[in-house]
Amino acid sequence: MADIRNIVILTGAGISAESGIDTFRDAGGLWEQHKVEDVATPEAFERDPDLVLRFYDKRREAIQTKQPNTAHKALARLDEEWARKPGHELLIVTQNVDDLHERAGAGRVLHMHGTHLNAWCTACDVRTPWNGPLIERPPCPACGTSALRPDVVWFGEMPYEMERIYSALREADLFVSIGTSGAVYPAAGFVQEARSMRIRTLELNLEASMGSRWFHESRHGPATEVVPQWVEEILGG
Ligand code: BJW
């Protein structure tokens, strides 16, 4: 591992599963209680805003009671130690809308699917930190209009910061994917982008994901075990 300088880490719902946050596609996962098309599309929001706002209010409230686990903490440690090495770069790209990476202490985190802890005003386009419910249609603090929605990326919408992500990938020596099923694009395609640029790729997941065959190496197990082990290894090397 001594030749690794620039790392891009993609995380998904699996890294927060052991903190008690449901994944999307595992048994008992979120889409079982609510069909994805009922809640995670702009069309669903237009059709039944109360259902969508209630769904997100419930999750926003739950997330704030959860704590980072040893996998989040291991990545925060890696982020901190990597920052001390001259000429070394690291970026954590998370698909998760929780803030457990930040609460574990990670600094360089990018939320490509948005965050539960922002509200986005569709009238004035301002995003405001938000930890309460939206169901009662509170006014936007910036413009006063009752047009707030969760600041998350739904199917058919453009994920955030794609330029920054692809730019970090182009400079990377190692791409690591943690706790994601590889079912949702464009994140599911990062491994193929990385391979096409001859970047080393590693998957850490509970089980083989839909994209496993693309990775140079896959290690299977709970994130709270395989992530700290890998971090020890890379910092030790
Ligand atoms: C553990 C564990 C433990 C469990 N330890 N591991 C046809 C082909 C290709 C693409 C498309 C297509 N039709 C439409 C599309 C595009 C569409 C898409 O991908 N659809 C698919 C269904 C096919 N994508 C989009 O629309 C995206 N936008 C887009 O493409 O714009 C155009 C564009 C063009 C060019 C460049 C860039 C863009 C937007 C996608 C938005 C996704 N939004 C959601 C909801 C966010 C808000 C919310 O939270 O409600 O994001 S959907 C949901 O899925 C959420 C997640 O971030 C995302 C990924 O899920 P994740 O994290 O992988 O979770 P799971 O549950 O699937 O997997 C968990 C994994 O963890 C499993 O593997 C477990 O085994 C593992 N695990 N316990 C370790 N303890």
Side-chain angles (χ1 to χ4, degrees):
M1 297 272 190
D3 52 338
I4 301 295
R5 297 175 82 84
N6 298 340
I7 308 175
V8 174
I9 299 169
L10 172 71
T11 66
I15 196 166
S16 296
E18 290 162 89
S19 291
I21 299 177
D22 285 344
T23 61
F24 294 92
R25 294 173 186 83
D26 297 316
L30 279 172
W31 301 144
E32 293 209 348
Q33 290 113 46
H34 289 281
K35 277 195 263 160
V36 54
E37 60 273 19
D38 288 344
V39 285
T41 66
E43 294 77 19
F45 186 50
E46 208 163 298
R47 194 169 57 237
D48 193 347
D50 280 2
L51 171 77
V52 175
L53 291 176
R54 259 200 312 277
F55 173 75
Y56 283 98
D57 281 356
K58 206 172 130 199
R59 286 175 58 205
R60 190 179 309 103
E61 192 181 358
I63 276 171
Q64 293 174 73
T65 68
K66 309 299 181 190
Q67 301 306 324
N69 63 47
T70 55
H72 299 103
K73 288 177 189 163
L75 292 187
R77 179 181 159 222
L78 177 63
D79 177 37
E80 191 185 345
E81 300 212 6
W82 220 248
R84 290 206 202 101
K85 293 172 182 268
H88 288 60
E89 293 294 336
L90 181 144
L91 180 65
I92 299 172
V93 177
T94 188
Q95 298 170 85
N96 298 343
V97 295
D98 66 54
D99 62 341
L100 297 186
H101 284 303
E102 288 89 343
R103 281 201 269 139
R108 292 172 287 185
V109 183
L110 190 157
H111 284 266
M112 66 177 290
H113 290 165
T115 163
H116 269 320
L117 298 172
N118 271 352
W120 173 22
C121 179
T122 55
C124 72
D125 202 29
V126 167
R127 289 170 166 82
T128 307
W130 202 268
N131 59 16
L134 290 172
I135 187 76
E136 300 296 347
R137 313 301 200 275
C140 166
C143 74
T145 310
S146 289
L148 295 173
R149 60 162 273 188
D151 186 14
V152 300
V153 177
W154 287 324
F155 286 109
E157 297 182 327
M158 184 62 84
Y160 297 155
E161 309 251 34
M162 293 308 297
E163 276 306 314
R164 260 183 80 197
I165 297 171
Y166 285 124
S167 152
L169 265 180
R170 280 193 293 275
E171 300 301 317
D173 310 302
L174 176 65
F175 170 71
V176 186
S177 172
I178 302 174
T180 176
S181 60
V184 177
Y185 287 83
F190 291 166
V191 61
Q192 292 167 64
E193 301 271 352
R195 290 299 295 257
S196 72
M197 294 184 278
R198 300 183 186 284
I199 296 162
R200 180 97 196 143
T201 56
L202 167 67
E203 173 178 68
L204 305 175
N205 205 50
L206 191 61
E207 60 200 1
S209 72
M210 288 172 72
S212 276
R213 69 183 184 285
W214 293 101
F215 288 87
H216 289 104
E217 188 187 354
S218 288
R219 298 184 190 176
H220 298 151
T224 55
E225 287 175 20
V226 291
V227 176
Q229 273 163 16
W230 169 70
V231 168
E232 277 296 325
E233 205 176 290
I234 193 152
L235 287 176

